[in-house]
Amino acid sequence: MIDVTLTIEKKLVYEEVAKTTNFTGRKEADADEKAFDRIATTDADMLMLERFWNECCNEATDRLKDLITHVSEQPISNGLNLDANYEVSLSLSGSYDTSLNDSLKGNLFSFFVAGVICKWYRFANKQGAEDYANEANMLMDSVMSKVYYRKKPKRVIPQQ
């Protein structure tokens, strides 16, 4: 078995969510002058985003549960803790291709970003929510595809 540990930094996810929602808010402002205020996340929205983060942690844990040897606890609280990252240790097949580690982590990170944005857009930008839900599902499917991927066996020629 091969052990792989992935850490998704909450602070970096929130930064990407802020960039994306700000960009969308600016672009939508052409058609709707209140779009930026409605769509872009602010510091005042962080407690709501925290709930969405926890929901994404639960979803990732649920999808990966057959492979998990350890997962970080996600405390449910009324406060904001930017240091409570998502860390998951997986026990993968001995045939797992470790060259996929960076791609695996990138897909999981993007899953968190898309998942949080999807949940935010259900309140703030309904027409964009379904696209982000589909993207989050596609990213998690890619994660699952990678963790179950097996390298082709190589023939070992005995030395004489």
Side-chain angles (χ1 to χ4, degrees):
M1 300 304 279
I2 295 175
D3 295 322
V4 174
T5 300
L6 304 167
T7 302
I8 306 302
E9 295 181 52
K10 184 191 298 187
K11 183 178 180 180
L12 296 179
V13 169
Y14 285 176
E15 287 173 5
E16 285 301 311
V17 168
K19 286 181 202 174
T20 303
T21 59
N22 284 328
F23 178 80
T24 304
R26 273 193 238 104
K27 292 297 179 186
E28 295 288 326
D30 293 339
D32 175 4
E33 63 186 44
K34 295 182 181 182
F36 183 80
D37 292 335
R38 186 181 70 251
I39 295 172
T41 57
T42 66
D43 289 343
D45 302 318
M46 294 306 280
L47 287 177
M48 184 64 76
L49 296 181
E50 185 79 2
R51 187 182 111 209
F52 301 153
W53 163 268
N54 287 327
E55 290 173 4
C56 289
C57 290
N58 292 338
E59 186 174 342
T61 299
D62 186 54
R63 292 286 303 269
L64 295 166
K65 66 185 168 207
D66 292 338
L67 306 167
I68 292 176
T69 58
H70 175 266
V71 65
S72 57
E73 292 183 27
Q74 296 302 316
I76 306 238
S77 69
N78 292 331
L80 179 64
N81 181 358
L82 290 177
D83 296 324
N85 299 324
Y86 181 77
E87 183 175 281
V88 63
S89 297
L90 307 171
S91 181
L92 306 177
S93 165
S95 300
Y96 169 75
D97 188 351
T98 56
S99 68
L100 296 174
N101 285 356
D102 288 341
S103 177
L104 178 61
K105 182 177 179 179
N107 283 154
L108 190 58
F109 175 83
S110 294
F111 161 77
F112 274 85
V113 172
V116 170
I117 291 171
C118 165
K119 293 168 188 309
W120 174 251
Y121 279 6
R122 287 183 180 153
F123 294 104
N125 185 24
K126 291 190 188 311
Q127 67 269 19
E130 187 175 343
D131 289 339
Y132 276 96
N134 291 336
E135 183 175 348
N137 287 330
M138 178 203 64
L139 289 161
M140 185 50 77
D141 288 346
S142 182
V143 166
M144 298 309 294
S145 173
K146 285 177 177 69
V147 296
Y148 284 112
Y149 177 77
R150 306 288 184 261
K151 291 188 287 191
K152 292 179 184 177
K154 293 183 181 179
R155 175 178 276 187
V156 178
I157 301 174
Q159 299 275 335
Q160 294 187 15

